[in-house]
Amino acid sequence: MHRQPENVDVVTFLLSEMGTSGSLDGQQHLVVKGRFASKYIEGILHKYVICGCCKSPDTILTNGNHLFFLICEQCGSGHFVVPIKAGFVASWTVFGVNGDWGFESTVEETENHLSHASTHHGIYDLQVREDDDWQMVQKQGNQFVVNDQPFYVNGFNTYWLMVFAADQSTRGKVSELFHQASSAGLTVCRTWAFNDGQWRALQTSPSVYDEEVFKVLLLLNSHASKALDFVISEAKKYKIRLILSLTNNWDAYGGKAQYVKWGKAAGLNLTSDDEFFSHTTLKSYYKAHVKTVLNRVNTFTNLTYKNDPTIFAWELMNEPRCTSDPSGDTLQEMAVYVKSIDAKHLVEIGLEGFYGPSAPDRAKFNPNSYATQVGTDFIRNHQTLGVDFASVHIYADSWISQTISDAHLQFTKSWMEAHIEDAEKYLRMPVLFTEFGVSAKDTGYNTSFRDTLISSVYKTLLNSTKKGGSGAGSLLWQLFPDGTDYMNDGYAIVLSKSPSTSNIISLHSTRIATFNSLCSTKCKWGCKKKNPLEEFLYHDDL
């Protein structure tokens, strides 16, 4: 086969194509789970080994972010093979002429390790895409883009990364998590860039920072590392971008309640946590924190945070609510302030997505009547100057019932479709479903329902993106590495212990990555007739 047994690409390709799990035993035999006919396995090996042009077995296989490239050493041609599931593989041929390369199909873009095709003597030259193409995520209309390519998101949440990075005994879990997430094709992580006045606090009092968090004493090449610096640097190693949230609506990790406590300690006459949004002094505390974080220089990369492409976006607040002002007006100031410091990065508010007074006809999509009274307004708030994209959370089990039922799936679909429609018609921006999940503590919970819910979210997003819609992606709440069960709030997914869920996530990642690689922002999903991966992208097997 011209393959080394220890080559992880061999095992990865076969297991991905067969849709099963397995490992090498002590004699380097691949042992797989399940029953498979010998002809079926021979068919996979034929795709995996035989050149599609000259039929020679003298080929080598390379792997880049879920796309495998088969190169023939006899005739110089090659083709991509994308493992999808048992019995199906998408591929297209690339031919070689006098050392140049070109596509037989209409494909104009390949994967990250192969770049744009430039016309040359009637064929295409493939350029190697260097690491300096790690550019800022931007917004064009209702799409995210990187280097003028669409950037649809399959991501996850892990809020506690900075806190774990602040302790040498737990820091390795940050790297472990990013490695597992990257292996599943996840490209964006949302995490906290705050910890106010709590255990391992970043900000111990207004504008006073604990250097044991911002500056953790860890000997690494004789340099002291910084906790949040470490998280950002590790994320870049695994090609994962970060959405960094700047404070919390809830008491966990301090949040607005801690800012009010600091205000009271300074002698302010404060009567409600909602004064966080309106009191001049408290707003100055928040602005000082924003300024400190955005202007920080990462000691690993020497990049100022506001200049680092690893950061996908700034989130003003996790799930802001201001019940004392149901209009939602009090939430409309800070985006402009962030942009005044950092005009390069995207900004989002952090809303859960509840409809408010500006769109009474949309209140029917809210999970309950109380949602209209929490002081947020999905449409009005997202029309604020400085806000680049909309955020929505999905928690049917918290908002409707903690007993699992099909009503959760029905709500999730209608909730997502309503927000995608509004993002297109009224906001004209992408919408990212930045939290969704289901708790193992719910009555009637099982992993099968969790898989169904995740698949439903992914399918709804694909239905939007195939039409060039505003559904820009989703982030699971939440992903954990092994050995962190004590942090589990019921929603944690450990990929190594959840093979069926992991397969669903990986499949969606591959679909999104393939589309991102093949189309430019000038191209909408309407060009799918030209796309050799159409069946792969649209096939309804979720």
Side-chain angles (χ1 to χ4, degrees), residues 112 129 133-153 187-188 241 309-313 344-346 388-389 429-432 465 468-473 512 515-517 519-525:
N112 286 337
R129 184 172 288 175
D133 276 348
W134 184 247
Q135 300 296 323
M136 294 280 186
V137 178
Q138 298 176 316
K139 183 192 75 167
Q140 289 184 10
N142 63 352
Q143 285 187 329
F144 296 126
V145 297
V146 178
N147 291 329
D148 201 39
Q149 290 291 112
F151 187 72
Y152 288 98
V153 172
T187 56
V188 176
R241 299 178 190 266
T310 307
I311 297 170
F312 179 100
K344 297 179 181 179
H345 281 103
L346 302 176
D388 295 298
F389 66 94
M429 61 173 54
V431 58
L432 202 59
T465 54
S470 287
I512 294 302
F515 175 74
N516 288 349
S517 299
C519 287
S520 69
T521 54
K522 298 177 182 178
C523 166
K524 298 296 184 182
W525 284 82

Side-chain angles (χ1 to χ4, degrees), residues 48-100:
Y48 170 71
V49 175
I50 303 299
C51 171
C53 292
C54 71
K55 308 304 179 183
S56 169
D58 296 326
T59 59
I60 59 175
L61 186 77
T62 62
N63 175 19
N65 194 18
H66 309 288
L67 291 176
F68 293 81
F69 192 48
L70 195 69
I71 302 174
C72 180
E73 295 185 313
Q74 289 294 323
C75 70
S77 67
H79 67 276
F80 290 102
V81 285
V82 185
I84 296 169
K85 63 176 185 177
F88 180 77
V89 63
S91 66
W92 62 99
T93 299
V94 185
F95 57 90
V97 181
N98 297 326
D100 293 321

Side-chain angles (χ1 to χ4, degrees), residues 106-323:
T106 58
V107 176
E108 295 180 354
E109 291 285 331
T110 66
E111 241 295 323
N112 286 337
H113 62 298
L114 297 173
S115 182
H116 59 278
S118 58
T119 302
H120 178 64
H121 300 303
I123 56 177
Y124 293 108
D125 275 332
L126 293 183
Q127 308 292 330
V128 176
R129 184 172 288 175
E130 301 293 341
D131 189 58
D132 60 7
D133 276 348
W134 184 247
Q135 300 296 323
M136 294 280 186
V137 178
Q138 298 176 316
K139 183 192 75 167
Q140 289 184 10
N142 63 352
Q143 285 187 329
F144 296 126
V145 297
V146 178
N147 291 329
D148 201 39
Q149 290 291 112
F151 187 72
Y152 288 98
V153 172
N154 194 21
F156 64 101
N157 287 266
T158 308
Y159 66 88
W160 42 254
L161 294 178
M162 182 177 64
V163 174
F164 269 49
D167 189 309
Q168 191 170 0
S169 66
T170 55
R171 189 173 300 113
K173 292 297 179 184
V174 176
S175 304
E176 182 181 337
L177 175 74
F178 284 148
H179 174 73
Q180 293 174 359
S182 178
S183 297
L186 297 168
T187 56
V188 176
C189 171
R190 178 171 169 266
T191 192
W192 295 171
F194 65 88
N195 186 13
D196 306 314
Q198 308 290 303
W199 176 63
R200 294 184 185 171
L202 174 65
Q203 188 177 196
T204 56
S205 60
S207 300
V208 178
Y209 292 86
D210 187 346
E211 286 301 299
E212 292 300 314
V213 178
F214 246 151
K215 185 178 180 180
V216 181
L217 296 180
L218 166 68
L219 291 178
L220 184 62
N221 298 327
S222 301
H223 296 289
S225 76
K226 282 75 174 174
L228 193 52
D229 293 354
F230 178 81
V231 171
I232 296 171
S233 176
E234 284 296 285
K236 183 179 185 297
K237 287 181 183 178
Y238 292 98
K239 300 301 181 186
I240 291 174
R241 299 178 190 266
L242 300 174
I243 296 177
L244 295 179
S245 189
L246 295 166
T247 196
N248 205 354
N249 179 71
W250 312 108
D251 293 352
Y253 292 79
K256 68 181 183 183
Q258 183 61 57
Y259 280 87
V260 171
K261 290 178 182 177
W262 286 333
K264 290 180 177 178
L268 302 180
N269 183 22
L270 304 171
T271 59
S272 168
D273 287 351
D274 282 354
E275 291 188 73
F276 167 85
F277 299 106
S278 58
H279 197 284
T280 301
T281 300
L282 300 189
K283 288 193 292 184
S284 71
Y285 291 167
Y286 175 82
K287 288 180 177 180
H289 174 62
V290 168
K291 186 176 181 180
T292 299
V293 173
L294 272 57
N295 284 319
R296 179 165 181 81
V297 177
N298 191 310
T299 53
F300 283 89
T301 65
N302 291 322
L303 284 175
T304 307
Y305 284 12
K306 64 183 180 183
N307 294 324
D308 193 340
T310 307
I311 297 170
F312 179 100
W314 301 110
E315 179 177 275
L316 300 182
M317 188 179 205
N318 173 53
E319 299 185 336
R321 295 184 180 185
C322 185
T323 54

Side-chain angles (χ1 to χ4, degrees), residues 370-423:
Y370 176 68
T372 61
Q373 305 171 33
V374 298
T376 66
D377 188 319
F378 175 75
I379 293 182
R380 183 177 184 135
N381 294 150
H382 283 118
Q383 291 172 330
T384 299
L385 186 65
V387 175
D388 295 298
F389 66 94
S391 64
V392 179
H393 295 179
I394 313 171
Y395 288 113
D397 59 344
S398 294
W399 300 339
I400 297 176
S401 170
Q402 291 185 333
T403 299
I404 296 298
S405 72
D406 288 342
H408 289 190
L409 301 176
Q410 296 164 5
F411 167 79
T412 297
K413 185 174 185 291
S414 63
W415 180 248
M416 292 181 68
E417 289 176 344
H419 287 84
I420 291 171
E421 179 183 359
D422 290 334

Side-chain angles (χ1 to χ4, degrees), residues 466 515 519 523-531 534 538:
K466 72 183 182 183
F515 175 74
C519 287
C523 166
K524 298 296 184 182
W525 284 82
C527 77
K528 62 184 181 181
K529 293 180 181 178
K530 302 177 183 178
N531 192 338
E534 178 180 350
Y538 307 138

